[in-house]
Amino acid sequence: MRVKGLLLWAALALLGGCASPTAKLNQPPVDVTWETLPEYWVLVGDAIRFNPVGGLPAKRPVKGYVTLRYLIDSNGDLFSPEVLSSEPPGVLDLIAISGLAQVRYRVSEQNPQAIPVRVVVRYDVEVR
């Protein structure tokens, strides 16, 4: 379990390293759902690919979900990923968080002020 915790912190550091060192907030973030996120920020590129980090789960295939909350700052960078729930518990968390490291957002035309948001997203993850 200790190794899993270290790997989780490594993924968080990787995610933080991909963005600017501190979140740029031109105003307090707005809480949004995945469905309303495109009114503020638009995903750049393809859908998120979840690749195993730190080795594969012991039992495969494994299929489940991870619900994450994270901040999209005024530059479109991601910060503060947090696992809210997962099934099976703890098995896919690191894989889902590391998948965020490749995500980029651009501001929506409906959001010219680049309002930062905090979004909750449920990702379905499968490892074969």
Side-chain angles (χ1 to χ4, degrees):
M1 191 64 155
R2 181 182 166 112
V3 172
K4 185 181 274 188
L6 290 173
L7 290 173
L8 182 60
W9 280 109
L12 291 173
L14 174 67
L15 181 60
C18 293
S20 57
T22 57
K24 180 183 180 224
L25 303 175
N26 59 12
Q27 62 183 3
V30 175
D31 290 322
V32 299
T33 64
W34 179 252
E35 292 77 23
T36 60
L37 179 61
E39 297 173 18
Y40 296 88
W41 297 93
V42 178
L43 186 64
V44 175
D46 297 329
I48 300 173
R49 285 185 285 266
F50 297 104
N51 298 313
V53 172
L56 294 168
K59 294 183 180 182
R60 293 185 316 264
V62 62
K63 185 177 182 179
Y65 71 87
V66 180
T67 302
L68 298 171
R69 176 175 40 215
Y70 54 90
L71 171 71
I72 303 172
D73 78 353
S74 298
N75 290 330
D77 296 325
L78 304 184
F79 288 90
S80 306
E82 176 184 3
V83 176
L84 300 180
S85 64
S86 61
E87 184 61 42
V91 175
L92 301 169
D93 297 6
L94 183 60
I95 294 169
I97 289 175
S98 66
L100 290 179
Q102 65 183 329
V103 175
R104 300 291 174 259
Y105 286 96
R106 65 173 172 77
V107 70
S108 168
E109 291 179 10
Q110 299 167 326
N111 184 20
Q113 307 88 2
I115 297 169
V117 299
R118 190 167 284 112
V119 63
V120 174
V121 182
R122 177 183 155 149
Y123 293 107
D124 294 317
V125 182
E126 182 175 3
V127 177
R128 298 175 192 217

